[in-house]
Amino acid sequence: MPSTDETGQATRHASPAGSTPPAGPPADGAPAGPGARMPRWLPRAMVLALALIAAFQLGSWAFHQLTGLLINILIAFFLALAIEPAVSWMSARGLRRGFATFLVFLAVLIAAAGFVTLLGSMLAGQIVKMVEEFPGYLDSVINWVNSHFHTELRRVDIQEGLLRSDWLRNYVQNSATGVLDVSAQVLGGLFQLLTIVLFSFYFAADGPRLRRGLCSVLPPARQAEVLRAWEIAVDKTGGYLYSRGLMALISGIAHYVLLEILEVPYAPALAVWVGLVSQFIPTIGTYLAGALPMLIAFTVNPWYALWVLIFVVVYQQFENYMLQPKLTAKTVDIHPAVAFGSVIAGTALLGAVGALIAIPAVATLQAFLGAYVKRYDVTDDPRVHGRRIPRAGPARPARLRRLWARDPEQDRPGPDGSEGTGDGGS
């Protein structure tokens, strides 16, 4: 038995000369020696972390690459919701759902094609007329400048100066080089339009099948919530389009009256153009809608273009601050401030597309969440109606009036030194 000390631990024997004692296991928390192995879980953890980082990078790259497609699908979904009432109405009367969807799209396509053809022919005729009469406009402007500023300008000199200027040459060269870019943008826009139409057709024609497929992976309680949300989205999107159509009608009538007063040609077509473009193209629709009537009015009288510009600006302010908030709040059932804020937020997130679908999306979300918010009866407190309750302060004026009206004889001390009560006072 080896000898032990007082603590009961065994004493170590002296190692022989030239040999090192065997190293014991490292204490808890102590660093391992140079020959220690790494834990078995560390390589797996490193591989898992690298795999997660790679998956995140791949997902981020794929999302950025598919952003355009996702936006097109979102537009197609809201377009399918917009035509859902018409398709369901026709389907309930015996037509197949796919054929009913085809008829709705055909009617929209015929109306759009007719409007674009009419507007294009009108615009082409007015541009030709404007080009033919441009020398006369230029002569009138030159005569006005010469008469008011005592100059001797001539149309020939101005035309030669424009033809020989460097900026015109650079503009022509840049326009020639930008033809391919414009063509590529036009083709890209047509492809996006075709994508939206196809997806919206599938969403509308296969709406019941899509709902059944979505509900088949959910429990019955969740299925009812999904179907309710779908129905609310259809109602709110239809209400939003109704409000936009009503505002387009009001805007078209107002601009038609103005153009008829000014005797501008093609007033009905221009009024329809202003109504549709100003309401269904967000952010820049107002400026695009007002530019064409101004151009046509300029061919009649340059001052008429100024009157059209003033009317467009004034009507836009009336629509933004009075007509649109009230009408949108009634048809979509959201507060005007919420509607305005949702448009700004949608524009910041998705641009023009976000501005177009922000109001029906917010209205759908608000109506759906309203069923899960518990509401209580409001108290009859006047502060609820905006009336303030007077605060109860110290009645100092009343005390001062009582002290002022008090008889001084009452404050005199009596013969025995007590406080007097006055004549006949108790």
Side-chain angles (χ1 to χ4, degrees), residues 194-423:
L194 180 61
T195 303
I196 292 172
V197 170
L198 288 177
F199 273 107
S200 60
F201 181 85
Y202 292 143
F203 286 152
D206 293 339
R209 184 184 303 176
L210 180 61
R211 288 190 287 269
R212 286 196 301 269
L214 184 61
C215 292
S216 63
V217 297
L218 297 174
R222 297 298 181 184
Q223 293 179 14
E225 294 178 0
V226 169
L227 294 177
R228 180 175 175 273
W230 195 291
E231 184 179 0
I232 291 174
V234 171
D235 294 339
K236 295 303 179 180
T237 305
Y240 174 71
L241 291 180
Y242 167 76
S243 64
R244 285 292 175 178
L246 188 57
M247 285 190 294
L249 178 62
I250 297 174
S251 176
I253 293 175
H255 288 84
Y256 172 75
V257 172
L258 173 69
L259 296 175
E260 281 292 335
I261 293 174
L262 298 178
E263 296 182 355
V264 177
Y266 306 103
L270 289 176
V272 175
W273 162 266
V274 172
L276 293 179
V277 175
S278 62
Q279 300 304 324
F280 291 98
I281 297 181
T283 309
I284 61 173
T286 303
Y287 307 104
L288 292 178
L292 184 59
M294 288 175 55
L295 180 63
I296 306 299
F298 184 83
T299 61
V300 179
N301 191 336
W303 289 105
Y304 288 175
L306 180 61
W307 284 112
V308 173
L309 175 61
I310 294 174
F311 182 82
V312 168
V313 173
V314 173
Y315 180 82
Q316 185 64 29
Q317 302 305 315
F318 164 75
E319 182 182 276
N320 289 339
Y321 293 100
M322 297 186 64
L323 182 62
Q324 180 177 351
K326 295 182 179 180
L327 189 60
T328 304
K330 290 182 179 180
T331 55
V332 192
D333 196 20
I334 60 177
H335 194 272
V338 177
F340 182 70
S342 63
V343 170
I344 295 178
T347 305
L349 293 175
L350 297 176
V353 177
L356 186 62
I357 66 176
I359 293 180
V362 172
T364 302
L365 182 62
Q366 178 180 347
F368 183 71
L369 295 179
Y372 300 95
V373 178
K374 187 176 181 180
R375 298 183 180 274
Y376 301 92
D377 294 334
V378 181
T379 180
D380 293 333
D381 196 311
R383 288 171 292 186
V384 175
H385 305 285
R387 296 191 298 268
R388 299 183 62 183
I389 299 178
R391 300 178 63 181
R396 293 180 180 178
R399 291 185 60 189
L400 292 176
R401 286 195 299 269
R402 287 197 300 269
L403 291 175
W404 181 266
R406 189 174 181 179
D407 190 358
E409 297 294 336
Q410 297 178 359
D411 296 334
R412 292 180 181 179
D416 55 353
S418 61
E419 185 178 356
T421 60
D423 296 336

Side-chain angles (χ1 to χ4, degrees), residues 147-166:
S147 61
H148 286 78
F149 297 98
H150 306 286
T151 58
E152 297 181 357
L153 297 176
R154 295 185 305 171
R155 178 161 57 90
V156 177
D157 297 335
I158 295 177
Q159 290 177 351
E160 291 180 355
L162 290 176
L163 293 176
R164 295 178 181 178
S165 60
D166 295 334

